[in-house]
Amino acid sequence: MDLPEGLDWVRGSPAGRTWLAALPTWLNECAERWSLRVGPPFRQAYASLALPAHLPDGTAAVLKLQYPDEESRYEADALAHWDGDAAIRLLAHDPGRRALLLERCQPGTPLHDLPPDRALDVVIGLLPRLWRPAGAPFTPLAQEAAGWIDRMPRAWERAARPYERRLLDAALDLLTGLASSQGEQVLVNQDLHAGNILAADALTADRGPWLAIDPKPLTGEREFSVVPIVRGPELGHSPAAVRHRLHRLSTELGLDPERVRGWTIGHTLAWSLADDTVVPEKIEVVRWLLDAD
């Protein structure tokens, strides 16, 4: 199978190789089950195999076969919960194969193609529609944060201490305090960056023109939901750009800026190491926000 380069990392583990071996069969079975005409994979893929598809009536769709990680386990549930409001609509789901049949955003232009402040206008309009009360089966943010707190020191040691101890200590302290003092719990997405919001002009006017895709859902307070936009390099990677996004999103969405800052530091550092791969850009964001004191 012609896999996107972004999925090369899955070859490095037994679980990944098992998933790769099953993909051709699952792809064929899903195409047959849903009577799909399937095209070659989208090249922008890092945690799933996604392919353009057409339903028998010609409707444009996306067939997505997820890598079986925990963060995306409840993606289908989140999309069903939103039911097409501010997010793409789930058309069908095969839990056993971790396969999702989704609406296709057309033209599918990513939000980061807009000038940064126009992109923030979109986020400010979109997020309140995604903040819906939710419970099971979604993982609580407090539980997820406890996992980060437990794993981060070991990951830091295993990766040969790739950043200063002060960053680790600050992140652990912030996560501990924030997790236990949250406000109202709503459905939040820990990966809503500017590449996961796409133009969808061809869909119903009252839902577009921008829709969220690829959620990694949790239940937590609203302040956490802006973290991926604040830290993401898609709308500019500099101390001034990060602080501007934090200030504008906090102010215009009525969020506590110190809690947004704290969640950004904690979550960004937790995600700065992935299978011993260091992500320097995330570590830079943590330094910029800590050194702003």
Side-chain angles (χ1 to χ4, degrees), residues 35 50 59 61 69 73 97 104 116 119 171 178 188 206 208 215 219 263 268 273 279 285 293:
S35 302
T59 299
D69 60 20
R73 175 178 293 276
R97 297 177 179 84
R104 193 190 317 171
L178 290 165
V188 295
D206 61 352
T219 52
W263 281 121
T268 302
L273 295 175
V279 187
V285 169
D293 287 339

PDB file of all heavy atoms in Angstrom, residues 35 50 59 61 69 73 97 104 116 119 171 178 188 206 208 215 219 263 268 273 279 285 293:
ATOM      1  N   SER A  35     -20.119   0.408   0.067  1.00  0.00           N
ATOM      2  CA  SER A  35     -20.266   0.600  -1.394  1.00  0.00           C
ATOM      3  C   SER A  35     -19.546   1.868  -1.861  1.00  0.00           C
ATOM      4  O   SER A  35     -20.137   2.735  -2.518  1.00  0.00           O
ATOM      5  CB  SER A  35     -21.754   0.660  -1.778  1.00  0.00           C
ATOM      6  OG  SER A  35     -22.423  -0.518  -1.380  1.00  0.00           O
ATOM      7  N   ALA A  50      -6.287   8.143   5.634  1.00  0.00           N
ATOM      8  CA  ALA A  50      -7.524   8.787   5.178  1.00  0.00           C
ATOM      9  C   ALA A  50      -7.522   8.829   3.656  1.00  0.00           C
ATOM     10  O   ALA A  50      -6.519   9.187   3.028  1.00  0.00           O
ATOM     11  CB  ALA A  50      -7.634  10.193   5.742  1.00  0.00           C
ATOM     12  N   THR A  59     -22.094  11.252  -3.442  1.00  0.00           N
ATOM     13  CA  THR A  59     -21.703  12.123  -2.335  1.00  0.00           C
ATOM     14  C   THR A  59     -20.217  11.942  -2.015  1.00  0.00           C
ATOM     15  O   THR A  59     -19.734  10.823  -1.876  1.00  0.00           O
ATOM     16  CB  THR A  59     -22.534  11.808  -1.076  1.00  0.00           C
ATOM     17  OG1 THR A  59     -23.913  12.036  -1.367  1.00  0.00           O
ATOM     18  CG2 THR A  59     -22.108  12.674   0.099  1.00  0.00           C
ATOM     19  N   ALA A  61     -17.041  11.824   0.276  1.00  0.00           N
ATOM     20  CA  ALA A  61     -16.823  11.427   1.666  1.00  0.00           C
ATOM     21  C   ALA A  61     -15.334  11.175   1.892  1.00  0.00           C
ATOM     22  O   ALA A  61     -14.511  11.312   0.984  1.00  0.00           O
ATOM     23  CB  ALA A  61     -17.639  10.176   1.995  1.00  0.00           C
ATOM     24  N   ASP A  69      -4.610   4.388  18.661  1.00  0.00           N
ATOM     25  CA  ASP A  69      -4.081   5.051  19.847  1.00  0.00           C
ATOM     26  C   ASP A  69      -5.235   5.465  20.763  1.00  0.00           C
ATOM     27  O   ASP A  69      -6.405   5.474  20.366  1.00  0.00           O
ATOM     28  CB  ASP A  69      -3.204   6.254  19.473  1.00  0.00           C
ATOM     29  CG  ASP A  69      -3.970   7.307  18.686  1.00  0.00           C
ATOM     30  OD1 ASP A  69      -5.211   7.322  18.751  1.00  0.00           O
ATOM     31  OD2 ASP A  69      -3.331   8.123  18.009  1.00  0.00           O
ATOM     32  N   ARG A  73      -9.471   7.456  20.391  1.00  0.00           N
ATOM     33  CA  ARG A  73     -10.422   6.358  20.582  1.00  0.00           C
ATOM     34  C   ARG A  73     -11.877   6.828  20.470  1.00  0.00           C
ATOM     35  O   ARG A  73     -12.733   6.113  19.928  1.00  0.00           O
ATOM     36  CB  ARG A  73     -10.199   5.700  21.953  1.00  0.00           C
ATOM     37  CG  ARG A  73     -11.219   4.622  22.275  1.00  0.00           C
ATOM     38  CD  ARG A  73     -10.941   3.966  23.613  1.00  0.00           C
ATOM     39  NE  ARG A  73      -9.697   3.210  23.581  1.00  0.00           N
ATOM     40  CZ  ARG A  73      -9.585   1.957  23.127  1.00  0.00           C
ATOM     41  NH1 ARG A  73     -10.654   1.336  22.650  1.00  0.00           N
ATOM     42  NH2 ARG A  73      -8.435   1.339  23.152  1.00  0.00           N
ATOM     43  N   ARG A  97     -12.796  -2.102  13.306  1.00  0.00           N
ATOM     44  CA  ARG A  97     -11.694  -1.749  12.416  1.00  0.00           C
ATOM     45  C   ARG A  97     -11.196  -0.333  12.651  1.00  0.00           C
ATOM     46  O   ARG A  97     -10.312   0.133  11.933  1.00  0.00           O
ATOM     47  CB  ARG A  97     -12.135  -1.902  10.955  1.00  0.00           C
ATOM     48  CG  ARG A  97     -12.500  -3.342  10.566  1.00  0.00           C
ATOM     49  CD  ARG A  97     -12.999  -3.398   9.121  1.00  0.00           C
ATOM     50  NE  ARG A  97     -13.321  -4.761   8.715  1.00  0.00           N
ATOM     51  CZ  ARG A  97     -14.478  -5.358   8.949  1.00  0.00           C
ATOM     52  NH1 ARG A  97     -15.435  -4.709   9.608  1.00  0.00           N
ATOM     53  NH2 ARG A  97     -14.699  -6.596   8.540  1.00  0.00           N
ATOM     54  N   ARG A 104     -16.880  14.976   3.506  1.00  0.00           N
ATOM     55  CA  ARG A 104     -15.646  15.569   3.001  1.00  0.00           C
ATOM     56  C   ARG A 104     -15.810  17.087   2.903  1.00  0.00           C
ATOM     57  O   ARG A 104     -16.747  17.573   2.279  1.00  0.00           O
ATOM     58  CB  ARG A 104     -15.265  15.017   1.634  1.00  0.00           C
ATOM     59  CG  ARG A 104     -13.832  15.398   1.263  1.00  0.00           C
ATOM     60  CD  ARG A 104     -13.472  15.088  -0.174  1.00  0.00           C
ATOM     61  NE  ARG A 104     -13.930  13.787  -0.639  1.00  0.00           N
ATOM     62  CZ  ARG A 104     -13.863  13.416  -1.911  1.00  0.00           C
ATOM     63  NH1 ARG A 104     -13.370  14.245  -2.832  1.00  0.00           N
ATOM     64  NH2 ARG A 104     -14.298  12.223  -2.276  1.00  0.00           N
ATOM     65  N   PRO A 116      -3.363  35.479  10.086  1.00  0.00           N
ATOM     66  CA  PRO A 116      -3.540  34.995  11.466  1.00  0.00           C
ATOM     67  C   PRO A 116      -4.747  35.561  12.208  1.00  0.00           C
ATOM     68  O   PRO A 116      -5.480  34.809  12.861  1.00  0.00           O
ATOM     69  CB  PRO A 116      -2.228  35.393  12.138  1.00  0.00           C
ATOM     70  CG  PRO A 116      -1.225  35.352  11.023  1.00  0.00           C
ATOM     71  CD  PRO A 116      -1.958  35.851   9.814  1.00  0.00           C
ATOM     72  N   ALA A 119      -7.934  34.141  10.941  1.00  0.00           N
ATOM     73  CA  ALA A 119      -8.069  32.761  11.420  1.00  0.00           C
ATOM     74  C   ALA A 119      -8.566  32.736  12.855  1.00  0.00           C
ATOM     75  O   ALA A 119      -9.413  31.901  13.221  1.00  0.00           O
ATOM     76  CB  ALA A 119      -6.729  32.044  11.299  1.00  0.00           C
ATOM     77  N   ALA A 171       5.773  22.776  34.735  1.00  0.00           N
ATOM     78  CA  ALA A 171       4.643  22.117  34.083  1.00  0.00           C
ATOM     79  C   ALA A 171       3.929  21.175  35.044  1.00  0.00           C
ATOM     80  O   ALA A 171       2.684  21.137  35.086  1.00  0.00           O
ATOM     81  CB  ALA A 171       5.118  21.357  32.846  1.00  0.00           C
ATOM     82  N   LEU A 178      -4.128  22.932  38.213  1.00  0.00           N
ATOM     83  CA  LEU A 178      -5.227  23.176  37.277  1.00  0.00           C
ATOM     84  C   LEU A 178      -6.217  22.012  37.232  1.00  0.00           C
ATOM     85  O   LEU A 178      -7.430  22.220  37.176  1.00  0.00           O
ATOM     86  CB  LEU A 178      -4.662  23.425  35.879  1.00  0.00           C
ATOM     87  CG  LEU A 178      -3.909  24.737  35.673  1.00  0.00           C
ATOM     88  CD1 LEU A 178      -3.101  24.688  34.371  1.00  0.00           C
ATOM     89  CD2 LEU A 178      -4.870  25.917  35.661  1.00  0.00           C
ATOM     90  N   VAL A 188     -14.071  19.040  24.975  1.00  0.00           N
ATOM     91  CA  VAL A 188     -12.944  19.814  24.455  1.00  0.00           C
ATOM     92  C   VAL A 188     -12.105  18.911  23.551  1.00  0.00           C
ATOM     93  O   VAL A 188     -12.160  17.683  23.642  1.00  0.00           O
ATOM     94  CB  VAL A 188     -12.075  20.407  25.583  1.00  0.00           C
ATOM     95  CG1 VAL A 188     -12.861  21.431  26.387  1.00  0.00           C
ATOM     96  CG2 VAL A 188     -11.530  19.319  26.511  1.00  0.00           C
ATOM     97  N   ASP A 206     -25.585  27.015   7.028  1.00  0.00           N
ATOM     98  CA  ASP A 206     -25.675  27.343   8.444  1.00  0.00           C
ATOM     99  C   ASP A 206     -24.683  26.551   9.289  1.00  0.00           C
ATOM    100  O   ASP A 206     -24.589  26.757  10.503  1.00  0.00           O
ATOM    101  CB  ASP A 206     -27.091  27.136   8.977  1.00  0.00           C
ATOM    102  CG  ASP A 206     -27.571  25.689   8.862  1.00  0.00           C
ATOM    103  OD1 ASP A 206     -26.856  24.876   8.238  1.00  0.00           O
ATOM    104  OD2 ASP A 206     -28.649  25.385   9.392  1.00  0.00           O
ATOM    105  N   GLY A 208     -21.291  25.897   7.913  1.00  0.00           N
ATOM    106  CA  GLY A 208     -19.966  26.334   7.489  1.00  0.00           C
ATOM    107  C   GLY A 208     -19.760  27.789   7.842  1.00  0.00           C
ATOM    108  O   GLY A 208     -20.482  28.344   8.670  1.00  0.00           O
ATOM    109  N   PRO A 215     -10.936  15.227  15.813  1.00  0.00           N
ATOM    110  CA  PRO A 215     -10.872  15.549  17.242  1.00  0.00           C
ATOM    111  C   PRO A 215     -10.196  14.463  18.076  1.00  0.00           C
ATOM    112  O   PRO A 215     -10.310  13.272  17.783  1.00  0.00           O
ATOM    113  CB  PRO A 215     -12.349  15.686  17.633  1.00  0.00           C
ATOM    114  CG  PRO A 215     -13.069  14.793  16.670  1.00  0.00           C
ATOM    115  CD  PRO A 215     -12.317  14.918  15.380  1.00  0.00           C
ATOM    116  N   THR A 219     -13.267  15.588  28.263  1.00  0.00           N
ATOM    117  CA  THR A 219     -14.162  16.518  28.948  1.00  0.00           C
ATOM    118  C   THR A 219     -13.323  17.327  29.923  1.00  0.00           C
ATOM    119  O   THR A 219     -12.568  16.764  30.720  1.00  0.00           O
ATOM    120  CB  THR A 219     -15.284  15.781  29.698  1.00  0.00           C
ATOM    121  OG1 THR A 219     -14.723  14.760  30.543  1.00  0.00           O
ATOM    122  CG2 THR A 219     -16.251  15.137  28.731  1.00  0.00           C
ATOM    123  N   TRP A 263      -2.416  25.741  31.228  1.00  0.00           N
ATOM    124  CA  TRP A 263      -2.721  24.539  30.445  1.00  0.00           C
ATOM    125  C   TRP A 263      -1.820  24.445  29.212  1.00  0.00           C
ATOM    126  O   TRP A 263      -1.397  23.348  28.825  1.00  0.00           O
ATOM    127  CB  TRP A 263      -4.182  24.532  30.007  1.00  0.00           C
ATOM    128  CG  TRP A 263      -5.183  24.126  31.040  1.00  0.00           C
ATOM    129  CD1 TRP A 263      -6.235  24.861  31.504  1.00  0.00           C
ATOM    130  CD2 TRP A 263      -5.249  22.863  31.739  1.00  0.00           C
ATOM    131  NE1 TRP A 263      -6.951  24.154  32.438  1.00  0.00           N
ATOM    132  CE2 TRP A 263      -6.373  22.917  32.598  1.00  0.00           C
ATOM    133  CE3 TRP A 263      -4.470  21.715  31.728  1.00  0.00           C
ATOM    134  CZ2 TRP A 263      -6.737  21.857  33.429  1.00  0.00           C
ATOM    135  CZ3 TRP A 263      -4.833  20.652  32.555  1.00  0.00           C
ATOM    136  CH2 TRP A 263      -5.939  20.733  33.380  1.00  0.00           C
ATOM    137  N   THR A 268       1.616  21.372  26.409  1.00  0.00           N
ATOM    138  CA  THR A 268       2.631  21.478  25.355  1.00  0.00           C
ATOM    139  C   THR A 268       3.896  20.738  25.742  1.00  0.00           C
ATOM    140  O   THR A 268       4.508  20.046  24.909  1.00  0.00           O
ATOM    141  CB  THR A 268       2.925  22.957  25.058  1.00  0.00           C
ATOM    142  OG1 THR A 268       1.711  23.611  24.661  1.00  0.00           O
ATOM    143  CG2 THR A 268       3.960  23.107  23.954  1.00  0.00           C
ATOM    144  N   LEU A 273       7.472  15.418  23.790  1.00  0.00           N
ATOM    145  CA  LEU A 273       8.197  14.157  23.608  1.00  0.00           C
ATOM    146  C   LEU A 273       7.202  13.105  23.148  1.00  0.00           C
ATOM    147  O   LEU A 273       6.185  12.881  23.795  1.00  0.00           O
ATOM    148  CB  LEU A 273       8.847  13.699  24.922  1.00  0.00           C
ATOM    149  CG  LEU A 273       9.951  14.585  25.498  1.00  0.00           C
ATOM    150  CD1 LEU A 273      10.396  14.051  26.849  1.00  0.00           C
ATOM    151  CD2 LEU A 273      11.130  14.640  24.543  1.00  0.00           C
ATOM    152  N   VAL A 279      10.310  17.402  20.223  1.00  0.00           N
ATOM    153  CA  VAL A 279       9.734  18.424  19.343  1.00  0.00           C
ATOM    154  C   VAL A 279      10.197  19.790  19.856  1.00  0.00           C
ATOM    155  O   VAL A 279       9.575  20.361  20.761  1.00  0.00           O
ATOM    156  CB  VAL A 279       8.197  18.337  19.317  1.00  0.00           C
ATOM    157  CG1 VAL A 279       7.632  19.303  18.269  1.00  0.00           C
ATOM    158  CG2 VAL A 279       7.732  16.913  19.032  1.00  0.00           C
ATOM    159  N   VAL A 285       7.833  27.103  22.925  1.00  0.00           N
ATOM    160  CA  VAL A 285       6.597  27.745  23.382  1.00  0.00           C
ATOM    161  C   VAL A 285       6.543  27.760  24.903  1.00  0.00           C
ATOM    162  O   VAL A 285       6.173  28.772  25.524  1.00  0.00           O
ATOM    163  CB  VAL A 285       5.366  27.028  22.797  1.00  0.00           C
ATOM    164  CG1 VAL A 285       4.085  27.506  23.476  1.00  0.00           C
ATOM    165  CG2 VAL A 285       5.290  27.257  21.290  1.00  0.00           C
ATOM    166  N   ASP A 293       6.936  35.908  32.567  1.00  0.00           N
ATOM    167  CA  ASP A 293       6.642  36.399  33.930  1.00  0.00           C
ATOM    168  C   ASP A 293       7.497  37.608  34.267  1.00  0.00           C
ATOM    169  O   ASP A 293       8.653  37.706  33.880  1.00  0.00           O
ATOM    170  CB  ASP A 293       6.942  35.287  34.950  1.00  0.00           C
ATOM    171  CG  ASP A 293       5.891  34.183  34.895  1.00  0.00           C
ATOM    172  OD1 ASP A 293       4.787  34.462  34.389  1.00  0.00           O
ATOM    173  OD2 ASP A 293       6.186  33.060  35.322  1.00  0.00           O
TER     174      ASP A 293
END
